[in-house]
Amino acid sequence: GEDVEQSLFLSVREGDSSVINCTYTDSSSTYLYWYKQEPGAGLQLLTYIFSNMDMKQDQRLTVLLNKKDKHLSLRIADTQTGDSAIYFCAESPAGNTPLVFGKGTRLSVIA
Amino acid sequence: GAVVSQHPSRVICKSGTSVKIECRSLDFQATTMFWYRQFPKQSLMLMATSNEGSKATYEQGVEKDKFLINHASLTLSTLTVTSAHPEDSSFYICSARVGDPGGTFGSGTRLTVV
């Protein structure tokens, strides 16, 4: 079945880069996503990448996709304290289907 | 962009009572909504898929009689937790996908059953 794995914790110093990794199993996934969840809040879509892309950059965020290894990463440049949150990796095929989420990586930014 | 409004954001209820959570799509029509549940420090688990005008599709292990889903219109889906117990305390989130990748999530409802 579908499964998304990611490390549970990451701690970085303010100003450094953060890299959050994720592996997935469904090779038919058309889109792969990164969501951010702040305490007590819903999910905010940060960015997504289409499966035929290798990289996508959006301001401080860079997503790398290795489709062969089914590996996805999110790099946050110049990490700020406001970036402290839980980051979820998710996959889904195209269409009106639910997402499959990883367990989330709790990012702690140390000032 | 598409907005999903979820209410209430927080509710405390007594054991044995029922609680209704609403999700409204504000500026689009959602034929399908997804209901997720999130336990503390855990990921989102899909509970059910809500389809307008038809019965919801529940994931394995989710009691359909306990978690009643109604999707009577293209802009409103409701989840009712019936005869709530402390183990039902959780964070419930709805989501709708309308062409945009990833879909739009409600802000979530924190349910505490005492």
Side-chain angles (χ1 to χ4, degrees), chain A residues 1-12:
Chain A
E2 302 161 334
D3 196 17
V4 178
E5 299 283 344
Q6 51 184 126
S7 53
L8 297 181
F9 300 99
L10 177 65
S11 182
V12 299

Side-chain angles (χ1 to χ4, degrees), chain A:
Chain A
E2 302 161 334
D3 196 17
V4 178
E5 299 283 344
Q6 51 184 126
S7 53
L8 297 181
F9 300 99
L10 177 65
S11 182
V12 299
R13 291 196 179 277
E14 190 175 19
D16 289 351
S17 292
S18 307
V19 179
I20 303 172
N21 295 301
C22 167
T23 57
Y24 61 97
T25 57
D26 189 355
S27 58
S28 69
S29 289
T30 303
Y31 289 103
L32 294 134
Y33 310 88
W34 284 104
Y35 283 86
K36 177 182 181 182
Q37 185 181 33
E38 297 184 5
L43 270 69
Q44 172 194 356
L45 178 63
L46 277 182
T47 186
Y48 63 93
I49 188 167
F50 194 53
S51 60
N52 67 353
M53 298 169 64
D54 297 324
M55 187 192 83
K56 179 179 179 181
Q57 186 164 3
D58 183 5
Q59 298 182 334
R60 293 191 297 123
L61 305 178
T62 303
V63 178
L64 295 179
L65 174 61
N66 182 327
K67 198 173 180 181
K68 174 177 171 289
D69 294 339
K70 299 191 185 72
H71 181 267
L72 184 73
S73 70
L74 172 70
R75 179 177 179 269
I76 306 173
D78 187 24
T79 312
Q80 303 297 307
T81 54
D83 296 324
S84 293
I86 301 175
Y87 291 80
F88 290 96
C89 171
E91 63 171 354
S92 85
N96 207 12
T97 53
L99 305 183
V100 177
F101 289 88
K103 285 185 166 52
T105 300
R106 183 178 295 273
L107 174 64
S108 298
V109 182
I110 305 166

